[in-house]
Amino acid sequence: MDLSRPTGPQPAAAVASARDGRSLAIGVSGLYLALYIHYGFFAFLPLWLSKSGALPSEIGVLMAIPLILRLLTVAPFSAWAGRRGRVRDAIALTAFGSAAVVLLLLGHPDHAGRIAIVIVLSIIWDQIPVLTDAYAVMVVRSRSLDFGRLRVWGSIAVVASNAAAGWAIGHAGINALPLMISALLIAPVVVALLLPRDRQLATAEDQASGGRWRDVFRDRPLLMGMIAVSLVMGSHGVLTSFSAIQWTARGISTQAIGLLQALSVSAEILAFIFGSKLLGRRDPRWLICISAITAMLRWGIMAMNPGLPLLIVAQLLNGPTAAGAILGIMLLIAARVPNDLSAAAQGVNAVLLGVVLAVATAGSGLLWSYGVAVAYLAMVVLAALGTAFAWPSRGSATLVTDAHHDTLSTSGGNL
């Protein structure tokens, strides 16, 4: 069975023509494009806060609020949306709500007002990417589409957004930032409402499963895969926090640093496009293992505090490390989780990722104080643990399609 194009028993309502499949693929790709196009503008929010009178200490607190709240709110809300069959509607609702809340910043709120707005915005906005991934996985499972080629448009949107944000703010001024973000958040609202409702994507097993979100925790291979991906993504903590500092100290210009960042995103895009095809009929956990092993190699290179030639190699490895981990867990969820639990699985995955990433990022400062080698070698250890958690056990069940985990294959590595 080809996990790059998951299949399963499909009811008459879910049997679609090739033309319908292409149309839905375009729609979900458009949803990712519409969602991520505002990300580059969000990066300027600390600058806007500073211009609005917020002190550096307050900005730090405001930026930390989303990291905490997502651990408490994402999993319950996404599970509710999936159980009710309202994932598509929830995407539109949370995007519209986020757009409305961001507009409140135009009123130049005081300290208490800024905190209140960020709290509400975090609760609403954090749901959108999780729900979008859940909807995409439902589409992949019901229409046998390639998740990587849908998700890649999110990465393309981030590149375009980063390029457009600086230009737009340079022309309109930083004070217009909330209005820009709010306007861009309407895009996913429009696209989501043009997509089919959840029930139009359901398979026969989904309609009869009656699954509960706690079933996600009972699926040991799935949970182990989620932990592995969290460790791999968390191992990026030192790079995220200190790469620019490290490279500048090596005498690398800001222009070259920008090109290095663009190179990593380009590698990520290529990995999304070709990852599923290269995986073929193999267990998605092998893709997670590859991402973890590649991460070990990448952080080993970074521990040597390399010059530009090796940095280029390290940045190219971002494709299998980051995109490979994301693609692997999405295909694993598509293979093991029924549609009505897809959103719940995405919520659990987001929480695990948030916990590990927050700890790794916070600890990166302490690790950095011991030197470049120590910091990155600690990330090698995290990636190695990810390999151990992801490694498929021989003979274990690797594909289920309903809440009762009916086994379709027990071949271990291949399906």
Side-chain angles (χ1 to χ4, degrees):
M1 190 171 194
D2 189 349
L3 283 179
S4 67
R5 296 178 178 274
T7 59
Q10 298 181 10
V15 177
S17 65
R19 182 177 179 182
D20 176 61
R22 287 194 298 269
S23 177
L24 193 52
I26 292 172
V28 176
S29 298
L31 180 60
Y32 273 116
L33 186 66
L35 169 60
Y36 284 93
I37 199 66
H38 75 280
Y39 270 53
F41 291 79
F42 254 8
F44 286 89
L45 189 57
L47 178 59
W48 184 91
L49 290 168
S50 178
K51 295 290 185 181
S52 299
L55 298 174
S57 57
E58 179 189 344
I59 294 174
V61 171
L62 292 174
M63 293 298 100
I65 287 174
L67 297 176
I68 298 171
L69 288 180
R70 73 182 50 165
L71 304 181
L72 305 175
T73 63
V74 168
F77 183 83
S78 59
W80 176 87
R83 188 170 62 251
R84 296 287 183 178
R86 303 295 297 273
V87 174
R88 188 211 68 163
D89 297 339
I91 293 170
L93 179 63
T94 51
F96 183 80
S98 299
V101 173
V102 169
L103 283 179
L104 297 176
L105 292 174
L106 293 174
H108 299 288
D110 58 11
H111 172 72
R114 288 191 291 265
I115 291 178
I117 290 172
V118 169
I119 289 175
V120 175
L121 179 62
S122 299
I123 293 173
I124 300 174
W125 183 90
D126 276 340
Q127 314 295 335
I128 310 174
V130 175
L131 292 169
T132 300
D133 283 338
Y135 187 87
V137 167
M138 290 163 59
V139 169
V140 165
R141 191 167 183 270
S142 66
R143 295 294 194 272
S144 299
L145 299 177
D146 187 329
F147 176 83
R149 299 197 176 203
L150 305 179
R151 175 59 178 79
V152 70
W153 290 99
S155 298
I156 292 172
V158 172
V159 175
S161 182
N162 285 326
W167 177 87
I169 292 172
H171 281 74
I174 190 64
N175 290 332
L177 182 65
L179 185 60
M180 296 178 194
I181 294 175
S182 181
L184 291 171
L185 279 166
I186 297 300
V189 178
V190 175
V191 176
L193 293 177
L194 294 175
L195 294 170
R197 294 180 181 274
D198 297 20
R199 64 174 178 268
Q200 295 174 262
L201 305 175
T203 66
E205 287 81 5
D206 296 328
Q207 295 171 352
S209 70
R212 297 174 298 173
W213 70 273
R214 293 178 182 83
D215 292 337
V216 174
F217 290 98
R218 298 190 180 102
D219 188 337
R220 187 174 181 273
L222 176 62
L223 196 59
M224 297 282 278
M226 289 180 177
I227 294 173
V229 168
S230 298
L231 290 167
V232 173
M233 298 304 291
S235 72
H236 289 69
V238 171
L239 183 77
T240 301
S241 300
F242 294 99
S243 59
I245 295 174
Q246 178 186 5
W247 300 342
T248 300
R250 289 282 293 164
I252 298 172
S253 67
T254 54
Q255 291 87 349
I257 290 175
L259 290 174
L260 285 170
Q261 300 290 13
L263 190 64
S264 70
V265 176
S266 299
E268 181 180 301
I269 289 172
L270 289 174
F272 276 128
I273 293 174
F274 297 107
S276 294
K277 186 175 292 294
L278 292 174
L279 178 66
R281 299 171 59 87
R282 300 174 185 85
D283 188 324
R285 286 176 290 176
W286 287 118
L287 191 55
I288 300 173
C289 285
I290 291 172
S291 73
I293 293 170
T294 309
M296 293 169 61
L297 174 61
R298 188 181 185 190
W299 309 140
I301 293 173
M302 294 300 296
M304 297 186 293
N305 199 16
L308 190 57
L310 275 180
L311 281 178
I312 292 175
V313 175
Q315 289 299 87
L316 286 173
L317 292 177
N318 187 61
T321 57
I326 295 171
L327 185 57
I329 194 60
M330 294 304 158
L331 292 178
L332 188 61
I333 291 173
R336 301 194 67 88
V337 178
N339 276 354
D340 61 345
L341 288 180
S342 178
Q346 295 292 343
V348 173
N349 184 55
V351 169
L352 288 173
L353 177 59
V355 170
V356 177
L357 193 57
V359 172
T361 303
S364 64
L366 176 62
L367 291 169
W368 193 257
S369 66
Y370 288 97
V372 174
V374 171
Y376 279 110
L377 288 176
M379 298 301 100
V380 171
V381 173
L382 277 185
L385 289 173
T387 305
F389 275 99
W391 200 272
S393 58
R394 182 174 296 276
S396 65
T398 56
L399 181 63
V400 295
T401 59
D402 61 25
H404 303 292
H405 299 271
D406 292 336
T407 303
L408 296 183
S409 172
T410 58
S411 59
N414 297 312
L415 298 177

